Amino acid sequence: LWNYGRSSNPNQQAAVMLYVHSLMGDGAPGEVDPSAIGPSVEALFAKISRESTRLHGPYRIDAAIPGGLKVGAPATGTVRIIAASGAPVPGVVVELDATGASGVPARVRTDAKGVATVRFTPTAADGVTIEARSESIASTLPRVFTPTTTAAARNGQRLAAAASQRVSATATQVSSKATISISTTAFPAKVLVGQANRDRVRVSGLPDGRKTTITAKIFGPFRSKAEIRCDATPASEATFTVSKSGTVGSPVARLARPGWYTYQLVIAGDANFAPVTTPCAVPAE
């Protein structure tokens, strides 16, 4: 009734009427016979019967989010509308709401196999939640009207009409913190006392638009490379902010004493980003 009954096609109307009455069992012998009206109605009747058997309700939504999510790393989930038989239902529009993720479409449609894919990017380490709600689909039971006036009640015929319902489900999955990678090169490699120096910083793994603060520490001076350590008070320290992966320069530093120095970069981390500290005394630093 819901999927085929709302039609202006006479053959389809006839096929739906015959199918409904075949379920009601109120037809006289031979009266509900689709072959009597022609091959088009007979084919539609067979299709309606086949799909109704396989795809009728009660329905439920199966929403799945994969494990191993990481903030900033694209992922794909799935949504299916499951019929009472366990078969996924094709062609159903599903509305979506999400928290802890970006890029989630407002609605998706299940494909010919009954599956809709949902692409998204986790934005928070406390987890991703996707709520899925079907648009109107066939009700588990149609509306059936019985006659109330005396003459009609004596005849006993009933009227069946389509009815709709909506089903919903929520899927939740934990995300891990994003891991940002940093590699650096000090330039120039040799400077005169008081000459400008900075670090060329290459950042990867930072989602576009997500800002993070990097602290550039310079330790020194040391008499030799073998003596370099990064556990004392820095000779220089400055912070700068990046909002996407790529190569940036740290703030300019001017060192007043001769000797060996090393850069060390630190990201403190937060609820969504893991902390990062570059190793001490990397030759390029």
Side-chain angles (χ1 to χ4, degrees):
L1 287 169
W2 179 257
N3 291 296
Y4 290 97
R6 298 174 296 173
S7 169
S8 58
N9 182 308
N11 285 338
Q12 188 163 310
Q13 289 177 344
V16 171
M17 179 272 293
L18 290 171
Y19 179 72
V20 170
H21 280 289
S22 72
L23 296 181
M24 288 182 167
D26 59 353
E31 191 175 48
V32 186
D33 184 2
S35 63
I37 309 180
S40 294
V41 172
E42 188 173 14
L44 279 167
F45 180 93
K47 181 179 181 181
I48 292 168
S49 178
R50 187 168 57 248
E51 289 193 7
S52 296
T53 299
R54 180 170 177 264
L55 300 176
H56 70 76
Y59 300 101
R60 61 182 175 85
I61 290 185
D62 175 29
I65 301 175
L69 299 180
K70 181 174 288 189
V71 172
T76 301
T78 58
V79 176
R80 300 186 303 162
I81 307 294
I82 306 298
S85 66
V89 184
V92 180
V93 175
V94 181
E95 298 173 346
L96 303 173
D97 284 319
T99 57
S102 63
V104 177
R107 55 180 54 83
V108 291
R109 182 186 294 273
T110 58
D111 61 18
K113 295 182 179 180
V115 180
T117 56
V118 181
R119 294 178 175 83
F120 63 93
T121 300
T123 58
D126 56 358
V128 173
T129 298
I130 296 179
E131 181 182 356
R133 301 179 306 277
S134 72
E135 290 195 341
S136 295
I137 56 175
S139 174
T140 302
L141 295 174
R143 292 178 294 166
V144 178
F145 299 88
T146 57
T148 56
T149 61
T150 303
R154 202 166 45 243
N155 190 39
Q157 289 210 349
R158 290 156 289 175
L159 176 67
S164 64
Q165 66 173 321
R166 300 183 72 179
V167 292
S168 63
T170 300
T172 301
Q173 190 63 260
V174 175
S175 306
S176 62
K177 293 184 178 183
T179 301
I180 305 170
S181 298
I182 304 175
S183 61
T184 67
T185 303
F187 69 100
K190 294 182 179 181
V191 295
L192 296 174
V193 168
Q195 185 179 352
N197 183 268
R198 68 195 313 183
D199 212 12
R200 184 180 288 114
V201 183
R202 290 173 293 279
V203 179
S204 61
L206 180 65
D208 287 355
R210 292 300 301 270
K211 295 182 179 180
T212 190
T213 298
I214 300 177
T215 300
K217 299 180 180 182
I218 304 176
F219 294 92
F222 300 96
R223 290 179 297 178
S224 68
K225 287 192 289 185
E227 296 180 45
I228 293 176
R229 299 173 60 186
C230 298
D231 56 0
T233 302
S236 174
E237 183 172 329
T239 60
F240 58 103
T241 300
V242 293
S243 58
K244 62 180 180 179
S245 295
T247 301
V248 297
S250 67
V252 169
R254 298 180 186 273
L255 302 169
R257 298 168 58 195
W260 288 95
Y261 292 85
T262 186
Y263 275 95
Q264 186 175 55
L265 273 64
V266 177
I267 296 177
D270 57 24
N272 298 318
F273 294 99
V276 178
T277 300
T278 59
C280 183
V282 172
E285 293 188 332

